[in-house]
Amino acid sequence: MTEVALAPLGLVLVTVWLMLPAYLANTIASIVGGGPPIDDGRNWNDGRRILGDGKTWRGLIGGTLGGLLVGHLQMTAGAGFFSGYVSWGSSPYLIFFLLACGALAGDMAASFIKRRRGQERGAKSPLLDVYDFIIGALLLTALFGGEWLWYWVDPFTIFILIIATPILHRSVNILGYKLGVKQVPW
Ligand code: CTP
Ligand code: MG
């Protein structure tokens, strides 16, 4: 990560903090989602939906704006957390946008793959469901976020994301299910 060595727990918290706009973009999409689907109800050439009714414009736009808001709050109200260890780089809103939009793009890519495999909306796909949005967020920030990602990503922080993401994902989804914003607890 940085020149300053962080205790392992600190590094876990900072890593999760840096990815929070991506994690929450997905959660916010499930809260605000609904309405017209992105694929407009159309099918792929296999006769199945391109993405399905679970990928909507409201979810995509709301989740992206929500991720931007999360980043904004982290940078302003949350600036005191992990200060000295967290930097959003020279274009923080670009990073928030790439994290949130990348997360939702990864989630859409996963739905596309699930539909091609013949899985209906909401069907379980353990690996895809958990890692789709992290992969999307990392990919978009790697491609368009300049140096930001390389300032904190290394094999150890990737390892942290691999371990922490399923735990966070599962907890948030169970919570979402109990609150009634998600139809299934995964
Ligand atoms: N959602 C949305 N638009 C998005 C992403 C999510 O409206 N771009 C909402 C939908 O209401 C969706 C819910 O968030 O049902 C949960 O998202 P997710 O688990 O990704 O969708 P699923 O319904 O499980 O569909 P899929 O099988 O395609 O993943
Ligand atoms: Mg799902």
Side-chain angles (χ1 to χ4, degrees):
M1 164 147 302
T2 49
E3 315 74 45
V4 200
L6 266 182
L9 178 63
L11 192 55
V12 171
L13 294 177
V14 167
T15 305
V16 169
W17 184 253
L18 289 169
M19 289 304 280
L20 212 56
Y23 284 116
L24 292 180
N26 245 26
T27 313
I28 295 164
S30 0
I31 298 170
V32 303
I38 297 168
D39 68 9
D40 209 14
R42 279 174 310 202
N43 291 342
W44 191 247
N45 57 20
D46 54 10
R48 296 178 184 279
R49 287 289 293 275
I50 302 175
L51 298 174
D53 283 333
K55 305 297 115 150
T56 67
W57 287 111
R58 232 159 66 197
L60 179 63
I61 295 165
T64 303
L65 292 177
L68 276 165
L69 178 66
V70 168
H72 172 75
L73 291 174
Q74 286 179 273
M75 199 172 59
T76 52
F81 293 113
F82 318 111
S83 59
Y85 296 101
V86 166
S87 162
W88 297 106
S90 49
S91 318
Y93 290 97
L94 172 68
I95 297 300
F96 304 148
F97 174 79
L98 294 171
L99 284 173
C101 197
L104 293 160
D107 175 59
M108 282 165 58
S111 292
F112 179 80
I113 295 170
K114 284 163 75 177
R115 298 303 91 82
R116 303 291 70 73
R117 287 180 183 162
Q119 292 181 290
E120 297 296 331
R121 169 190 182 182
K124 222 171 177 170
S125 177
L127 277 177
L128 271 183
D129 282 339
V130 171
Y131 292 112
D132 54 6
F133 66 97
I134 285 291
I135 294 170
L138 292 176
L139 200 67
L140 242 64
T141 45
L143 288 175
F144 306 111
E147 296 294 301
W148 180 77
L149 189 66
W150 313 115
Y151 133 86
W152 66 273
V153 151
D154 61 25
F156 191 56
T157 48
I158 292 288
F159 175 74
I160 291 174
L161 289 176
I162 292 172
I163 301 295
T165 300
I167 300 171
L168 283 170
H169 189 257
R170 186 89 185 119
S171 320
V172 169
N173 285 349
I174 291 174
L175 186 71
Y177 178 65
K178 295 233 155 99
L179 292 174
V181 294
K182 263 192 76 81
Q183 289 162 357
V184 287
W186 55 80

